[in-house]
Amino acid sequence: MNSDLRHRRKVARTALPTAVLLLLGGAVVVQSSAPAAAAETTLRAAAANAGLFFGVAASPNRLYPIVGQEFSQLTPENDMKPDRIATSSGGLQNTSGADTLVNHAQSNNMLVRGHTLVWHSQAGALQGASQATLNTFIGNAINRWGSRIAYWDVVNEALEDNNTGRRRNQWPHSMNRDANGDGDFFDAGDTDVIRDSFIRAKQVVQAGGLTTKLCINDYDVDGLTVQGGTPNRKANALYDIVRNYRQYIDCVGFQAHFNDNPNSIITDDLQANIQRFADLGVEVHITELDIDDDLSNNDIGAGQAENYRKVVRACLNVERCTGITVWGISDSESWRSSERGLLFTGGNGSYQKKAAYHAVLDELNKGRNPTPPSTTPPVTPSVPPTTPPVDPTTPPPPTTPPPPTTGCSATVSLNSWTGGFVATVRVTAGAAPISGWSVQLTLPSGASVTNAWNANRSGSSGTVQFSNVSYNGSVNAGQTTEFGFQGVGTATGLAAPVCTAA
Ligand code: G3I
């Protein structure tokens, strides 16, 4: 990313467009269909009403009141990276900054995104480590914070720059081996650091009974195309990874560092790209959003505020886009301060809202306008992921409770924030295969479902009924399938689900 930015073409700055000036002057044309009185006045409240989190990257020395007031999710900007917390044998050290951030998030009812476990950059003492050592680190880091971390970026920035669609060739990806030389790492006999890291992370989550979701995160993967309409090969490569390893990957992060590099512009097909990942059944998040203010003044965008609006709208329009995180509070404190890419100016706890802030708040207050989820069943990988070689540091697979003798059973795991939650429901067939299922859930008073995936739904509050869709009704004996839903209100007190087999 930094090398991209070093080479990027800077353009002359001119005055902001009229629409933005009007916003700056306070004469905001409120396009919301909701009555003005209902509009929320903070990003986190507006996002919660729309059924998503709105987060920020943070550091321990910048935990000003605004963090908990405006944001419902926190990503440590640097304090959970391997160069801070990993020892060369995969142990943990110097976790005080990360602990401070997790504690702050918890006391402000914010979700935490752990960032990041396997990354070629900022690897510190792990640089050059084996997969076994990476696995040790993955286990130690996930277990230290457990379910207090809602989402972990397990693998970060695995794909090469310049839209080649290839994996990086630096460590740890230099450990990859394409046994049959067909150009991918998905076949039996191939070695794939991404696959093996996710398998390890999934084992740790399951063994600990954690609700933590496991994500892959990258930049320049935002649109279906890049500038000029060229296919976004990097996004396509990420899609293939998620499709092949769907059983281990729960969520995808689009970093969304938008600048005027041809591969990182905001395209009109951003929403369609989010949707195709969502159709695989994973949550999609915008994880590191910042938008170069220069994009206001060239042929790519029509103003920073409008560009922010576009990105927020693209996420809101896809049911399974469940969160947006900006990469810092204020321009002056950003990693790319000269490009003034964030929502606030000022610094040291004294911040002023920019036009971009008002645009985001306004767009969030309009809520979702979801397109129906695709009816296409998830694509089955042509070659199923293979079991990696046995790793001596890997604990035995978790034991699961025996399935019921007949019918089905269901369990729910929740990720909650103030005013909203995402539930993942796992349906397990009993001793015999089932050809359909329905799950009844009774929500606490005040809670309601805003959208669901991988299930049909009837009702939105009180007793809500979910049933299988065309592609997940048949479940073999003892096997599981998952569906999810998102809601507003609080799910604390959710009654145990009742599963009935067809
Ligand atoms: O804290 C030290 C300070 O003591 C020292 O004096 C100073 C001298 O260089 O460095 C300070 O550390 C810097 C750190 O940010 C905190 O400001 C590091 O040098 C600097 O490399 C580091 O940059 C971070 C960058 O990742 C490193 O790759 C940025 O803050 C952080 O925003 C950025 O975040 C990445 C995401 O993790 C992944 N996606 C891209 C994103 C932007 O590059």
Side-chain angles (χ1 to χ4, degrees):
M1 196 68 197
N2 291 325
S3 61
D4 276 346
L5 286 171
R6 267 199 299 276
H7 293 103
R8 55 188 291 277
R9 177 176 54 88
K10 301 299 292 182
V11 295
R13 302 178 54 79
T14 58
L16 289 170
T18 310
V20 177
L21 288 173
L22 284 173
L23 283 162
L24 280 168
V28 182
V29 179
V30 179
Q31 294 164 19
S32 172
S33 53
E40 297 290 350
T41 56
T42 64
L43 299 171
R44 70 179 288 169
N49 276 354
L52 73 166
F53 63 77
F54 201 95
V56 68
S59 300
N61 60 344
R62 294 202 186 120
L63 292 175
Y64 301 109
I66 192 175
V67 172
Q69 288 160 0
E70 287 285 353
F71 303 102
S72 52
Q73 179 270 333
L74 183 157
T75 305
E77 183 171 359
N78 287 301
D79 287 85
M80 262 182 207
K81 291 175 176 173
D83 70 344
R84 287 286 166 90
I85 64 166
T87 69
S88 59
S89 58
L92 298 182
Q93 62 180 352
N94 304 327
T95 53
S96 62
D99 290 338
T100 299
L101 291 168
V102 173
N103 291 338
H104 186 84
Q106 197 165 16
S107 54
N108 285 278
N109 292 315
M110 303 169 81
L111 299 175
V112 179
R113 182 182 206 89
H115 177 77
T116 175
L117 296 171
V118 177
W119 190 20
H120 70 282
S121 179
Q122 288 191 287
L126 280 184
Q127 182 70 45
S130 65
Q131 182 71 52
T133 302
L134 284 177
N135 287 351
T136 301
F137 174 63
I138 289 168
N140 284 326
I142 292 178
N143 281 327
R144 177 170 181 88
W145 294 285
S147 296
R148 299 212 288 162
I149 294 203
Y151 303 99
W152 257 112
D153 285 330
V154 176
V155 176
N156 192 41
E157 301 179 359
L159 297 162
E160 209 171 59
D161 288 337
N162 303 319
N163 201 21
T164 66
R166 291 195 295 261
R167 304 283 179 90
R168 289 185 185 279
N169 55 18
Q170 305 99 303
W171 175 91
H173 309 287
S174 54
M175 293 194 279
N176 288 340
R177 294 285 172 266
D178 179 13
N180 65 3
D182 68 349
D184 67 43
F185 302 99
F186 299 135
D187 305 299
D190 288 354
T191 300
D192 187 352
V193 167
I194 296 175
R195 174 197 64 197
D196 294 354
S197 300
F198 269 98
I199 287 175
R200 169 61 175 155
K202 199 56 145 186
Q203 284 173 335
V204 175
V205 163
Q206 289 179 343
L210 307 178
T211 55
T212 309
K213 294 194 173 178
L214 304 174
C215 310
I216 187 163
N217 192 46
D218 218 320
Y219 60 84
D220 291 358
V221 294
D222 315 291
L224 285 175
T225 56
V226 298
Q227 193 169 24
T230 306
N232 189 340
R233 298 184 198 93
K234 188 165 175 176
N236 292 347
L238 184 68
Y239 182 82
D240 285 344
I241 290 166
V242 176
R243 191 181 57 182
N244 274 277
Y245 302 146
R246 172 66 188 93
Q247 67 207 97
Y248 315 116
I249 298 178
D250 306 310
C251 34
V252 173
F254 291 9
Q255 290 188 5
H257 291 295
F258 291 110
N259 56 60
D260 59 5
N261 178 293
N263 299 328
S264 64
I265 60 162
I266 301 168
T267 56
D268 289 338
D269 49 35
L270 168 64
Q271 181 182 324
N273 193 35
I274 295 173
Q275 183 71 57
R276 73 166 168 159
F277 279 90
D279 285 347
L280 292 175
V282 292
E283 285 181 54
V284 183
H285 305 131
I286 306 292
T287 53
E288 304 185 12
L289 181 59
D290 48 24
I291 304 179
D292 184 349
D293 193 28
D294 282 350
L295 296 187
S296 320
N297 306 313
N298 62 23
D299 56 351
I300 298 165
Q304 187 183 51
E306 289 311 304
N307 279 325
Y308 262 103
R309 201 182 272 281
K310 274 190 201 172
V311 176
V312 172
R313 176 48 48 200
C315 178
L316 284 169
N317 281 355
V318 178
E319 289 181 350
R320 245 167 272 167
C321 188
T322 53
I324 299 173
T325 306
V326 284
W327 204 243
I329 301 169
S330 154
D331 290 345
S332 66
E333 296 166 352
S334 160
W335 71 294
R336 50 192 302 200
S337 56
S338 65
E339 291 151 289
R340 296 180 288 188
L342 293 172
L343 301 180
F344 294 84
T345 58
N348 299 317
S350 173
Y351 300 111
Q352 295 83 47
K353 295 168 181 171
K354 294 169 56 179
Y357 172 94
H358 294 292
V360 169
L361 183 62
D362 180 52
E363 205 60 36
L364 289 170
N365 270 319
K366 291 178 192 170
R368 287 187 185 268
N369 177 26
T371 48
S374 158
T375 51
T376 315
V379 183
T380 308
S382 49
V383 179
T386 53
T387 307
V390 175
D391 168 1
T393 65
T394 299
T399 52
T400 47
T405 50
T406 57
C408 59
S409 61
T411 55
V412 186
S413 63
L414 288 172
N415 275 322
S416 301
W417 58 92
T418 303
F421 59 93
V422 167
T424 303
V425 184
R426 175 172 292 186
V427 175
T428 305
I434 57 174
S435 56
W437 47 262
S438 64
V439 172
Q440 186 178 295
L441 272 159
T442 303
L443 298 176
S445 162
S448 61
V449 179
T450 51
N451 58 77
W453 48 93
N454 290 342
N456 295 312
R457 169 172 65 100
S458 76
S460 59
S461 60
T463 299
V464 183
Q465 200 81 27
F466 300 88
S467 59
N468 63 273
V469 287
S470 59
Y471 53 84
N472 64 3
S474 295
V475 186
N476 283 332
Q479 300 299 298
T480 63
T481 188
E482 282 187 356
F483 69 92
F485 64 92
Q486 191 162 4
V488 293
T490 171
T492 309
L494 183 71
V498 177
C499 189
T500 309

